[in-house]
Amino acid sequence: MTMPADLADEPDTPYLLIDDAVLRRNIDTLADWAAEQGLQVRPHAKTHKCAQVARRQLDAGAAGLSVATLGEAEAFAEAGFTELFIAYPLWLSPAKTARLRALAGRLPPHALRIGVDSAAGARQLARGLGEAAVDILVEVDSGMHRSGVAPAEAGAVAAAARDAGLTVIGVFTFPGHGYGPGDARESAAREEMASLAQAAESLRMHGIEPVVVSGGSSPTVALAARAGADDTLRPGAVLTEIRPGVYPFNDAQQLELGACHWPDLALVAVATVVSTVAGDRQSGPQLILDAGSKVLGADRPGWATGFGRLPDYPQARLTALSEHHATVRFPRGAVAPGLGEQVRVVPNHVCTAVNLADELLVETTGGRTRWPIIARGANR
Amino acid sequence: MTMPADLADEPDTPYLLIDDAVLRRNIDTLADWAAEQGLQVRPHAKTHKCAQVARRQLDAGAAGLSVATLGEAEAFAEAGFTELFIAYPLWLSPAKTARLRALAGRLPPHALRIGVDSAAGARQLARGLGEAAVDILVEVDSGMHRSGVAPAEAGAVAAAARDAGLTVIGVFTFPGHGYGPGDARESAAREEMASLAQAAESLRMHGIEPVVVSGGSSPTVALAARAGADDTLRPGAVLTEIRPGVYPFNDAQQLELGACHWPDLALVAVATVVSTVAGDRQSGPQLILDAGSKVLGADRPGWATGFGRLPDYPQARLTALSEHHATVRFPRGAVAPGLGEQVRVVPNHVCTAVNLADELLVETTGGRTRWPIIARGANR
């Protein structure tokens, strides 16, 4: 990725910029690996909320999209996408019941999939859906302890869903506890597969064949795809489908976890140095960028080295983030950009950064273009 | 604040809900105290980005609005507000130069104020502004070490601005380092006043009378306004103006800092319990709410007890936040809300939560209404 040559034509900073060549390569690399493993890909669209990125993913062979909310499903259905998995234990208010029925009605039968993680949730969903033909996956807790039933209880939840009149097609999990340093990724990947295998067996014991066994976060998928990875980490034996989200763009978290490398970063925020004066009173250069938490998002896990990274200054760290200020510190003696210069910033967590913007500026071989973030704010 | 009686008419969760009576009381209390102290109030509109809240503030006597970006200034000018202070060291790209001139042109002469924190920034601003009649305030670092010139150097920056043709009317600071536990607020408030006094003197030494001396974050103002506060913390002797942002709504940060109390919280996110199943495997009740970081924001300073608070369950803590999941833990033996119940959540940092939403639902004595967040996303 190169900096824009002609800044006069640029949008005002801060804005989000995509390198389309890197985006395509990230999508294709994952697609090729999944095909080789016999895995379907149903990428999580909460990362990009963007029809053009989703189209690239489907063109590369993705079976459909995962989404987190009814609102995201509505936005992608409106954009013409039909195979949608709401990977979330929806609880239907009267208004959401009406929205869900309308959504199911505009999609082909069984093109819509929904997660459940309790018998009560399944029964409530069945009442809300009425005659709508959707498929159900039981969410399993593979160690993150967020939503999801214990693997051994997946069959009982599936049976309750079936008895309430729903069509249960399988199980899914999100191994979010793989977002951590050291061997967190590897142990999460192993737990993911063990939990899903156990959950699938639990369904079979209740007479339900799990046609879909779905897992796969970007970090655990990247680990499995790594050249020379331990064969026991290859998910094909257990999983039929993966749902990575971040991989088209990557971000500073993936970089610092070792799940991607600098050339794999497809999205940056372009920011301007607006102040350098406090740096005069520090041990190394310090500057202030105009991209703060309302542009980059405020995600900062304990293991991260800061609030984001600068690809052109790998030694620099974002040590503090206000709403409209990023404080960037450089090692003593380092050459830092000057007042008014533009700087590229990789956000820690690209999903929350994208949700803060209305559009992406995209650098393609054919020139610049803008992609709207169609599901921006569609978080309910 | 009471929960909605008729949920069938409610928007789908998660959504932001305002108690207008609390909002009015918070605005009036601050206004009365400031009037008593002889201080002008120029509230920071980055908190609410909402014309109706701004109007309440002006009706209560505010002299104008502070904003963080040119985009926020444009949004409020469009809504009819004329006295605007961009409390930020703008760096003007060609596009921003055109926008700033257009903005200045639609406002009365000298109704627009802008911050600078360096001679280079002042000269660049003067070139960009051309003939536009705006007023300049020099930003001073009072200990946060973000933007802002050292107090003793404020006069030199002011003189550079004057020599570049700008009208310098004073100094300002943001004592953001007062967001901390223990005596952080008190020491930040003292530094704020000492720094501004020194900066004002520095301007006088360069022959510039500081007509405006502006400070005041919500925590330091709340400290000064506290019954029985040490007289040395009363800002009237040094400051002419305060710019608190959060005080109309308050939030979990202000609560945990002791800058407000539970009855002062005017804004909550209303969320639904979507999963309780992982709680079965914990030592106390645990549940998952559908309000995650894309609704509440991900701000979590080290001293905070979690990612937000529940007014109806003060012992509960938001121990983890994903994009669409808040994990809430309760003490062993506590009675927690059940699956499908709605729960009120106070975000840690209300400014970032509001920026994620398109509108506020407002509970007034005359019924419910909706206020658009007109500067949502106007972050450049």
Side-chain angles (χ1 to χ4, degrees):
Chain A
M1 183 184 288
T2 52
M3 272 299 285
D6 181 2
L7 293 176
D9 291 339
E10 292 313 301
D12 286 325
T13 63
Y15 64 92
L16 300 185
L17 179 66
I18 302 286
D19 185 325
D20 192 43
V22 179
L23 174 68
R24 285 175 183 275
R25 191 177 69 225
N26 290 343
I27 290 172
D28 290 345
T29 301
L30 188 282
D32 291 349
W33 175 80
E36 207 180 283
Q37 300 282 317
L39 290 167
Q40 291 217 298
V41 184
R42 190 177 287 263
H44 213 308
K46 71 181 170 65
T47 298
H48 52 70
K49 292 179 176 262
C50 174
Q52 286 84 353
V53 178
R55 183 55 58 202
R56 294 268 156 86
Q57 292 173 316
L58 266 69
D59 287 348
L65 300 174
S66 301
V67 295
T69 65
L70 185 51
E72 286 182 344
E74 289 166 336
F76 282 99
E78 183 68 32
F81 295 87
T82 52
E83 300 290 323
L84 299 171
F85 173 29
I86 305 175
Y88 195 84
L90 290 185
W91 188 268
L92 298 178
S93 62
K96 269 189 186 155
T97 301
R99 288 169 58 198
L100 183 58
R101 288 188 185 198
L103 174 66
R106 72 186 292 173
L107 298 175
H110 297 283
L112 182 63
R113 297 175 176 184
I114 306 177
V116 302
D117 78 347
S118 67
R123 285 190 288 267
Q124 205 248 8
L125 187 60
R127 284 193 299 273
L129 279 166
E131 300 302 306
V134 310
D135 286 348
I136 300 298
L137 284 90
V138 176
E139 183 175 2
V140 175
D141 177 10
S142 56
M144 189 186 186
H145 308 317
R146 192 175 67 174
S147 45
V149 71
E153 294 159 32
V157 173
R162 176 194 56 198
D163 296 347
L166 297 171
T167 305
V168 179
I169 62 164
V171 293
F172 77 106
T173 195
F174 175 67
H177 54 314
Y179 277 77
D183 63 359
R185 272 201 296 160
E186 184 168 331
S187 65
R190 291 189 198 283
E191 280 189 273
E192 174 188 4
M193 285 186 284
S195 300
L196 285 175
Q198 189 185 358
E201 189 50 35
S202 173
L203 260 64
R204 286 190 195 97
M205 286 170 60
H206 284 80
I208 299 167
E209 181 56 30
V211 180
V212 178
V213 178
S214 176
S217 65
S218 291
T220 58
V221 166
L223 180 71
R226 189 178 63 184
D230 183 344
D231 265 359
T232 64
L233 287 171
R234 296 199 174 269
V238 174
L239 276 62
T240 66
E241 174 184 286
I242 52 174
R243 305 184 321 282
V246 174
Y247 78 97
F249 298 146
N250 290 309
D251 56 23
Q253 286 189 162
Q254 304 291 331
L255 181 79
E256 295 197 343
L257 287 172
C260 76
H261 301 290
W262 288 105
D264 307 324
L265 296 164
L267 180 147
V268 293
V270 181
T272 299
V273 179
V274 294
S275 178
T276 58
V277 64
D280 299 346
R281 304 187 291 284
Q282 306 292 335
S283 64
Q286 172 185 303
L287 53 80
I288 304 296
L289 300 176
D290 61 358
S293 63
K294 283 179 174 171
V295 170
L296 301 173
D299 293 60
R300 187 191 170 172
W303 46 263
T305 67
F307 289 94
R309 293 294 291 271
L310 309 188
D312 302 304
Y313 303 91
Q315 288 190 296
R317 291 295 182 277
L318 271 68
T319 56
L321 208 59
S322 309
E323 288 158 64
H324 300 280
H325 306 71
T327 302
V328 187
R329 298 290 303 272
F330 295 77
R332 190 191 297 265
V335 176
L339 192 61
E341 283 189 44
Q342 292 196 0
V343 177
R344 301 185 300 150
V345 185
V346 181
N348 265 358
H349 186 189
V350 74
C351 306
T352 53
V354 166
N355 182 55
L356 288 160
D358 291 309
E359 61 177 20
L360 302 168
L361 188 71
V362 187
E363 187 91 46
T364 73
T365 49
R368 292 259 170 120
T369 185
R370 286 163 200 271
W371 292 347
I373 300 168
I374 57 168
R376 199 279 317 150
N379 296 319
R380 59 192 190 194
Chain B
M1 185 183 285
T2 51
M3 275 297 285
D6 180 5
L7 294 176
D9 291 339
E10 293 313 300
D12 285 325
T13 63
Y15 64 92
L16 301 185
L17 179 66
I18 302 287
D19 185 325
D20 191 43
V22 179
L23 173 68
R24 285 175 184 273
R25 191 178 67 224
N26 290 343
I27 290 173
D28 290 345
T29 302
L30 188 283
D32 290 348
W33 174 79
E36 207 181 283
Q37 299 281 317
L39 291 168
Q40 291 217 300
V41 184
R42 191 177 286 263
H44 213 309
K46 73 180 168 64
T47 298
H48 53 71
K49 292 179 177 261
C50 173
Q52 285 84 351
V53 179
R55 182 54 58 201
R56 293 269 157 85
Q57 292 173 318
L58 266 69
D59 288 349
L65 299 174
S66 300
V67 297
T69 66
L70 186 48
E72 286 182 343
E74 290 167 335
F76 282 99
E78 183 68 31
F81 294 87
T82 52
E83 299 292 322
L84 300 170
F85 173 28
I86 305 175
Y88 196 84
L90 291 184
W91 188 268
L92 298 178
S93 63
K96 271 190 184 155
T97 302
R99 289 169 59 198
L100 183 59
R101 288 189 185 198
L103 174 67
R106 71 186 292 175
L107 297 175
H110 298 283
L112 181 63
R113 298 175 176 184
I114 306 177
V116 302
D117 77 349
S118 68
R123 285 189 289 267
Q124 204 248 8
L125 187 61
R127 283 193 300 273
L129 278 166
E131 299 303 306
V134 310
D135 286 348
I136 301 298
L137 283 89
V138 176
E139 184 175 3
V140 175
D141 178 9
S142 55
M144 190 185 185
H145 308 316
R146 193 176 66 176
S147 46
V149 72
E153 293 159 33
V157 172
R162 176 195 56 199
D163 296 347
L166 297 171
T167 306
V168 179
I169 62 164
V171 293
F172 77 106
T173 195
F174 175 67
H177 55 314
Y179 277 78
D183 63 357
R185 272 200 298 160
E186 183 168 331
S187 65
R190 289 188 200 284
E191 279 189 275
E192 174 189 5
M193 284 186 284
S195 300
L196 286 175
Q198 190 185 358
E201 189 50 36
S202 173
L203 259 65
R204 286 189 196 98
M205 286 170 61
H206 284 79
I208 298 169
E209 183 55 30
V211 179
V212 177
V213 178
S214 175
S217 64
S218 291
T220 57
V221 166
L223 180 70
R226 188 177 64 183
D230 182 344
D231 265 359
T232 64
L233 287 170
R234 298 198 172 269
V238 174
L239 276 63
T240 66
E241 174 184 285
I242 52 173
R243 304 184 322 282
V246 173
Y247 78 98
F249 297 145
N250 290 306
D251 57 23
Q253 286 188 162
Q254 303 292 331
L255 181 78
E256 295 197 342
L257 287 173
C260 76
H261 302 290
W262 288 104
D264 307 325
L265 296 164
L267 180 148
V268 293
V270 181
T272 299
V273 179
V274 294
S275 177
T276 59
V277 64
D280 301 346
R281 303 187 291 285
Q282 306 292 335
S283 65
Q286 173 184 303
L287 53 81
I288 303 297
L289 299 176
D290 62 358
S293 63
K294 284 180 175 172
V295 170
L296 301 174
D299 293 60
R300 187 190 171 172
W303 47 263
T305 66
F307 289 94
R309 294 293 293 270
L310 309 189
D312 302 305
Y313 303 91
Q315 287 191 296
R317 290 295 181 276
L318 271 69
T319 55
L321 209 59
S322 309
E323 288 158 65
H324 300 281
H325 305 72
T327 301
V328 187
R329 299 288 304 272
F330 295 76
R332 190 191 297 265
V335 176
L339 191 62
E341 283 189 44
Q342 293 196 359
V343 177
R344 301 185 299 152
V345 185
V346 181
N348 264 359
H349 186 188
V350 74
C351 306
T352 54
V354 167
N355 183 54
L356 289 159
D358 292 307
E359 61 177 20
L360 301 168
L361 187 70
V362 186
E363 186 91 46
T364 73
T365 48
R368 292 256 169 121
T369 186
R370 287 161 200 272
W371 292 346
I373 300 168
I374 57 170
R376 200 278 317 152
N379 296 319
R380 60 193 192 197

